Amino acid sequence: MGEKKLMKGNEALAEGAVRAGCRFFSGYPITPQNEVPEYMSWRMPEVGGTFIQAESEVAAINMLYGASACGTRVMTSSSGPGISLKQEGISYTASAQLPIFYANVVRGGPGLGNIAPSQGDYFQATRGGGHGDYRVFVMAPNSVSEMGNFPRICYEVAEKYRMVTMILADGLLGQMMEPIEFDFEPIDPSKLPPKDYALGIQEGRSRRVVRSYDLKPGFMEKHTWKLMEIYNQVEEKETRYETIMAEDADLLVVAYGTCSRISRAALALGRKENLKIGLLRPITVWPFPSKILHDLASRIKKILVVEMSTGQMIEDVKLAIEGSAQVFFHGRPSGGIPTEFEVLDVIKKIYGK
Amino acid sequence: MYQGVIMSGFGGQGIISTGVLLAYSGMVDGKHVTFFPAYGAEMRGGTANCSVVVSTDEVASPVVSTPDSIIVMNEPSLLKFEPTLKPQGLLLINSSLVSSKPKRNDINIITIDANKIAEEIGTVKCANMVMLGALINRTKAVSLESVVKTLSKVYPRAKKEMLEINENALKRGGTF
């Protein structure tokens, strides 16, 4: 699949999207994701695609709506404040069932906050984010390799279920460099099967309409239940996670993204001191790996959630285990990054050491 | 083998590209590597630092909180990072620009008049390579051959003469 390259997370994300067939990118600059549009600005013309630096985030997401309605694989990216501005458009694409893909390289919030890495946008990502009753398929990479290889999965899920998909990263994953080997051959979007909803030249077929509203009484209720059925299927079939040393663990750490890397280091330190620590790492945070966590919590009675926030994913953890284990929390919001020693200290306190 | 490195100095001293060079060379050597720069407010004369991990095992945390070695290229960097160094860790100081003395006595300190040496070799711009040469000689995190081989990848627009100067600077640093 090509040679091993040393790449920045943001660049891997952009290249991964291009290799997965993305041919339309519109965005607006914001740190710490600026390398994504920068990369796309020269890479898109190279593959015959379109790059637009939009006049605003609102314009960027609405351009995505249009390009996606024409059947193109599309992408936008931003960080917290910009993603907030895009929520109206994201909700519209969800209702219109357009398969868009976007990335949030999260920075410290709330407000304009700062440019440091954070996981404070978990609620926004996993609860849909915009108005109305919808879900977004959310992948949470923890390495540059996954930053580059997850866009393909997002496009496949987006098109299979006709839903919004996203990558929830953070400033550290965007800015760091690691070796990457792409695990798939570049996809030629012109070879993909035609989409039966896509707009274009109408000749020889019946009229198609892409819209996010319907005022007929009762229609939207039916439509929203139809969406929900799709989301239920996604929950059943597309949930992804990783467990490390969970088999004999008596304390389970649950962490995603950057925090899962730090927790893995804490786990290695703790195991050297004979602490039986395990790790559950959600790879999709929506759908959340509730079932495996529920199963693990029937045996492991102590769970530590580690997040770069004041505690957001912990709500999904508590919902999943339904009170069957004791849940502890360690969080560093708005730009704080925990160290493995800090996490180990918290673990030792839980053990009473 | 695990080596967590922090490099720190002024923007414009080549701190970030030195970090990339070390990480890239580690990859060429078949090691696991991560590189993480302080980002956002980069500018010439401002502060710049980055962390690099080179390891024979998969790198768990990309955040280097207690480095095994540090390259200090200016005064503020010494104040900021000396306390974070592991006991018995390696502190490499560019004494051309740092006049303060380190406070700890449980670490290994090497002072190098890197700017002066760099000027002797050809240009002050290669002071970073003198420091990197010393770091790899002391830590054996990567091989000198891999760093030399990788120079043209990290500096794709550099002229042949400049690459040679960098190579000489790395070798000269290797004598420390």
Side-chain angles (χ1 to χ4, degrees):
Chain A
M1 309 285 152
E3 54 171 338
K4 211 178 230 190
K5 272 181 154 176
L6 188 71
M7 280 185 107
K8 213 169 205 195
N10 283 333
E11 289 175 351
L13 173 63
E15 177 60 25
V18 172
R19 287 174 73 105
C22 175
R23 290 298 179 271
F24 183 92
F25 181 97
S26 56
Y28 189 84
I30 185 170
T31 306
Q33 62 82 56
N34 283 325
E35 292 82 3
V36 181
E38 185 194 15
Y39 191 93
M40 287 299 200
S41 69
W42 62 267
R43 189 71 169 103
M44 271 299 167
E46 220 176 61
V47 293
T50 302
F51 166 84
I52 299 176
Q53 177 166 324
E55 66 268 37
S56 72
E57 285 86 350
V58 176
I61 190 69
N62 284 298
M63 288 175 191
L64 233 60
Y65 185 107
S68 181
C70 295
T72 310
R73 287 198 166 174
V74 299
M75 178 187 184
T76 188
S77 67
S78 192
S79 191
I83 298 292
S84 293
L85 289 166
K86 285 174 179 160
Q87 291 301 341
E88 182 197 42
I90 291 166
S91 169
Y92 279 42
T93 53
S95 182
Q97 292 186 268
L98 293 173
I100 66 162
F101 164 62
Y102 75 98
N104 182 355
V105 183
V106 184
R107 56 191 257 162
L112 199 53
N114 59 27
I115 57 171
S118 170
Q119 295 183 327
D121 296 353
Y122 180 93
F123 281 153
Q124 185 195 53
T126 57
R127 268 61 181 167
H131 61 282
D133 218 345
Y134 71 99
R135 304 286 187 276
V136 173
F137 177 76
V138 190
M139 298 197 82
N142 78 353
S143 66
V144 170
S145 172
E146 291 186 349
M147 289 284 272
N149 284 309
F150 281 2
R152 178 187 60 92
I153 302 172
C154 284
Y155 282 116
E156 283 172 4
V157 168
E159 288 178 2
K160 184 173 178 193
Y161 300 98
R162 287 187 58 185
M163 70 182 295
V164 179
T165 61
M166 76 171 284
I167 281 182
L168 181 68
D170 64 57
L172 196 142
L173 288 163
Q175 294 296 324
M176 70 190 264
M177 290 178 97
E178 279 181 336
I180 172 170
E181 217 170 328
F182 286 97
D183 62 13
F184 61 101
E185 293 296 339
I187 293 162
D188 178 353
S190 69
K191 304 261 166 63
L192 292 168
K195 297 168 176 77
D196 61 8
Y197 59 86
L199 309 183
I201 298 160
Q202 199 197 323
E203 215 175 285
R205 61 161 172 82
S206 57
R207 192 170 75 113
R208 291 172 182 168
V209 179
V210 172
R211 63 180 171 191
S212 73
Y213 73 98
D214 200 300
L215 302 179
K216 282 192 297 293
F219 177 89
M220 275 311 287
E221 185 178 0
K222 259 190 234 156
H223 176 64
T224 307
W225 279 121
K226 191 181 91 184
L227 294 181
M228 202 58 219
E229 262 172 48
I230 295 171
Y231 301 144
N232 288 339
Q233 275 185 48
V234 174
E235 258 190 299
E236 199 181 305
K237 292 183 185 144
E238 304 293 347
T239 306
R240 289 164 170 82
Y241 62 86
E242 174 189 16
T243 55
I244 296 171
M245 303 184 106
E247 301 75 24
D248 67 338
D250 52 20
L251 185 149
L252 185 73
V253 179
V254 185
Y256 72 95
T258 292
C259 278
S260 68
R261 294 277 295 261
I262 295 161
S263 299
R264 203 170 74 203
L267 182 150
L269 290 171
R271 283 272 170 176
K272 277 188 201 153
E273 297 180 33
N274 294 318
L275 301 175
K276 286 186 176 171
I277 312 163
L279 178 71
L280 170 68
R281 172 205 164 206
I283 294 172
T284 56
V285 283
W286 197 92
F288 191 75
S290 303
K291 197 179 168 300
I292 177 75
L293 183 54
H294 185 89
D295 293 349
L296 288 170
S298 68
R299 185 172 54 75
I300 306 172
K301 291 301 167 196
K302 287 182 166 60
I303 293 175
L304 170 66
V305 180
V306 181
E307 294 181 68
M308 276 145 48
S309 78
T310 53
Q312 300 192 8
M313 184 179 69
I314 189 173
E315 295 196 359
D316 283 332
V317 170
K318 284 180 175 171
L319 281 170
I321 65 169
E322 296 178 307
S324 60
Q326 215 180 342
V327 181
F328 302 85
F329 178 71
H330 183 65
R332 294 287 304 274
S334 308
I337 306 173
T339 68
E340 60 265 46
F341 305 104
E342 185 181 321
V343 174
L344 184 64
D345 278 349
V346 175
I347 290 169
K348 283 181 176 171
K349 275 196 193 110
I350 296 170
Y351 276 114
K353 290 188 178 176
Chain B
M1 192 282 285
Y2 174 97
Q3 189 68 218
V5 184
I6 284 182
M7 303 181 183
S8 183
F10 290 125
Q13 283 181 316
I15 299 292
I16 301 299
S17 59
T18 309
V20 173
L21 182 63
L22 177 60
Y24 207 125
S25 309
M27 182 178 80
V28 170
D29 276 346
K31 307 250 172 60
H32 294 272
V33 296
T34 65
F35 160 87
F36 179 54
Y39 61 89
E42 301 96 337
M43 57 180 202
R44 195 179 172 88
T47 60
N49 68 73
C50 65
S51 30
V52 179
V53 179
V54 182
S55 172
T56 41
D57 297 318
E58 210 178 322
V59 182
S61 174
V63 182
V64 179
S65 51
T66 50
D68 301 282
S69 53
I70 302 177
I71 290 179
V72 160
M73 294 287 279
N74 68 359
E75 197 81 39
S77 303
L78 180 65
L79 292 174
K80 186 169 179 190
F81 291 110
E82 186 195 343
T84 66
L85 187 62
K86 260 183 206 157
Q88 308 314 316
L90 176 68
L91 181 61
L92 292 157
I93 300 174
N94 177 3
S95 57
S96 313
L97 297 171
V98 182
S99 51
S100 300
K101 297 281 167 278
K103 293 183 183 70
R104 289 171 61 177
N105 51 21
D106 62 338
I107 52 175
N108 298 308
I109 299 158
I110 298 173
T111 53
I112 302 172
D113 200 352
N115 282 34
K116 187 162 164 275
I117 293 169
E119 270 170 41
E120 282 165 17
I121 292 167
T123 165
V124 69
K125 284 189 219 166
C126 67
N128 56 341
M129 292 298 131
V130 175
M131 299 300 283
L132 181 64
L135 179 111
I136 60 172
N137 180 46
R138 288 295 175 132
T139 63
K140 311 289 179 208
V142 297
S143 63
L144 178 67
E145 296 73 49
S146 300
V147 183
V148 171
K149 210 162 66 183
T150 307
L151 275 170
S152 61
K153 299 234 163 81
V154 176
Y155 302 104
R157 284 188 290 272
K159 292 197 180 78
K160 199 166 162 280
E161 306 90 80
M162 199 57 209
L163 291 175
E164 277 169 15
I165 287 174
N166 277 305
E167 188 178 336
N168 291 338
L170 282 163
K171 285 178 178 158
R172 183 66 197 280
T175 62
F176 283 91

